[in-house]
Amino acid sequence: MVKLNNVKKNYKDFQLDCSMEIKKGQITGLVGRNGAGKSTTFKAMMGLIKPDEGSIEIFGKSPDMLSVSDKQKIGVVMSDSGFRNAHTINDLVPALKGFYSDFSGSDFKEMCRRFELPLNKKLSEFSTGMNRKLHILAAISHNAQLLILDEPTSGLDAIVRDEILGILRGYMENGERSIVISSHISSDLERLCDDLYMIEKGKIILHEDVDVILDNYGLLKLTSEQFERIDKKYIIRSKKESFGYECLTDKMQFYRENYPEVTIERGNIDEVMINLAKA
C-alpha cells in the first residue's frame, strides 16, 4: 500500500532517513518522542515535502503521480486539522460530497448520529473528543483505502478513545484497507496495531510485530553478580541501576528457562521505546 525506500530529507538541525512499509489489510503504528520525525514522515507520504533522496510509493506510484481518483482513496487526520469553513455537520456534507466522488452523505450522517455528533450544532462548540470523532468519520466516509492518522486519540478520555478505536476496527473489516497511525498512548497501539515502527532522531530503530513485542520482549532485573555471569547474547541494551542492572531482551523465554532465579518483567511498547531511545 505504502513504501518508503531510504527516504532522506535534510533540514538545518534534523535529517529524516527512513524506510518503512504499510501493507494492505494491516494497521501500522509509528511511535517516537516529540521531534523524532513522525510528522515529517507523514508529510513525506502525502507528498507535502519532497525527499532529497530515496523514493516513496503509494498504490505503486510516487506521490506526484497520483491521480485525483488515487488521492480520493486516502483519508488523512493530522493533529492540527480542522473544518474551518463549515458551521455545522449539515453544512459540511455538501463540501465533502463535492470533493469526494464516493462520499455518501446519508451514511456519513448516520455514522454521526451513531456516535452522538449533533448535525446542527456549531462545530466551534464541539468538544475535543467530538471534533476528533468527526474528523475520523469524514476520513472514512468516502471509501478511502488508506488512512494516515497523526495522534488521533491525543487528549481524549478513555471512553472516547475506545469509541475511536472501534471506528477504526470497523473500517478494517473488509481486509482491503490499511492504516498508519502515530500515538503517544501505547496502550491504544497495543490494542489496535499489527506492527510497529519506532523512530528516533529521524531514523527507524525498530520494526516489529506488536504481538512479538508483547510476547517476546522483556526487562531483566539483575544484581551486579547476576549481570556478570548471565549470557548476554540476547541482551539488546543494559542500564546500570541502583539495584544492579536493567536489561532489555527480545528473547524473554530464553532467560526464563535458563535463569529462573532472575526477575523478568514483560515488556510493552513504552518500555521498549524508552530503552532503545536511550541506547
Side-chain angles (χ1 to χ4, degrees):
M1 191 73 77
V2 181
K3 289 184 180 180
L4 279 70
N5 300 304
N6 300 312
V7 170
K8 294 184 180 180
K9 182 66 179 179
N10 296 300
Y11 296 95
K12 182 179 179 181
D13 54 357
F14 176 80
Q15 181 188 66
L16 181 71
D17 185 357
C18 177
S19 294
M20 61 186 297
E21 180 176 4
I22 294 90
K23 295 180 179 179
K24 181 185 289 186
Q26 291 196 350
I27 303 177
T28 295
L30 179 62
V31 299
R33 69 176 87 191
N34 290 333
K38 300 187 298 298
S39 294
T40 305
T41 302
F42 283 158
K43 288 175 182 177
M45 284 183 195
M46 293 184 290
L48 299 178
I49 58 174
K50 188 172 183 178
D52 299 318
E53 297 180 40
S55 63
I56 301 170
E57 294 180 14
I58 300 179
F59 310 136
K61 303 177 183 179
S62 64
D64 58 352
M65 295 300 293
L66 293 177
S67 66
V68 172
S69 176
D70 292 329
K71 292 177 181 179
Q72 291 191 358
K73 295 177 183 177
I74 304 172
V76 178
V77 178
M78 301 299 283
S79 57
D80 58 352
S81 57
F83 297 116
R84 295 178 177 84
N85 296 322
H87 297 293
T88 68
I89 290 177
N90 277 330
D91 294 331
L92 183 62
V93 169
L96 292 173
K97 191 170 184 178
F99 195 76
Y100 297 109
S101 58
D102 282 345
F103 177 76
S104 170
S106 59
D107 289 346
F108 175 64
K109 286 184 178 182
E110 179 56 36
M111 285 191 295
C112 288
R113 293 188 189 98
R114 176 184 168 194
F115 289 99
E116 300 180 345
L117 298 178
L119 303 184
N120 291 308
K121 185 174 182 176
K122 290 182 180 180
L123 300 187
S124 60
E125 298 175 359
F126 275 23
S127 67
T128 301
M130 293 167 70
N131 269 303
R132 208 64 56 82
K133 284 191 285 185
L134 175 61
H135 285 100
I136 291 175
L137 292 177
I140 68 174
S141 65
H142 52 88
N143 197 31
Q145 299 302 299
L146 169 68
L147 290 187
I148 300 174
L149 307 177
D150 187 13
E151 299 286 348
T153 58
S154 176
L156 306 180
D157 62 50
I159 294 174
V160 176
R161 282 174 23 228
D162 188 65
E163 286 183 313
I164 287 176
L165 298 185
I167 293 171
L168 298 179
R169 291 191 195 97
Y171 164 84
M172 292 293 293
E173 284 179 354
N174 73 0
E176 296 295 313
R177 297 164 173 164
S178 302
I179 297 174
V180 56
I181 178 173
S182 72
S183 178
H184 287 295
I185 305 172
S186 62
S187 59
D188 288 351
L189 299 181
E190 289 171 1
R191 295 166 57 194
L192 186 67
C193 292
D194 298 291
D195 66 327
L196 193 80
Y197 287 86
M198 291 186 183
I199 189 168
E200 172 69 10
K201 296 179 181 178
K203 296 180 181 292
I204 299 298
I205 60 173
L206 178 73
H207 175 222
E208 193 67 89
D209 287 348
V210 170
D211 286 345
V212 171
I213 292 175
L214 299 180
D215 293 341
N216 295 353
Y217 282 67
L219 294 173
L220 313 181
K221 306 289 187 175
L222 307 172
T223 65
S224 296
E225 181 182 352
Q226 289 172 328
F227 180 75
E228 289 301 319
R229 63 180 178 81
I230 202 168
D231 187 338
K232 299 180 181 63
K233 64 182 175 182
Y234 299 125
I235 298 296
I236 298 172
R237 182 181 183 273
S238 59
K239 180 174 60 174
K240 188 75 173 71
E241 299 284 5
S242 58
F243 58 81
Y245 289 85
E246 179 181 85
C247 301
L248 176 68
T249 179
D250 60 353
K251 297 289 189 294
M252 184 167 55
Q253 192 59 33
F254 170 83
Y255 291 102
R256 280 181 170 165
E257 292 175 355
N258 291 283
Y259 301 93
E261 74 280 8
V262 168
T263 300
I264 302 176
E265 296 179 358
R266 183 178 294 275
N268 56 42
I269 292 173
D270 281 344
E271 292 288 357
V272 173
M273 184 172 68
I274 289 168
N275 278 274
L276 290 181
K278 291 181 178 179

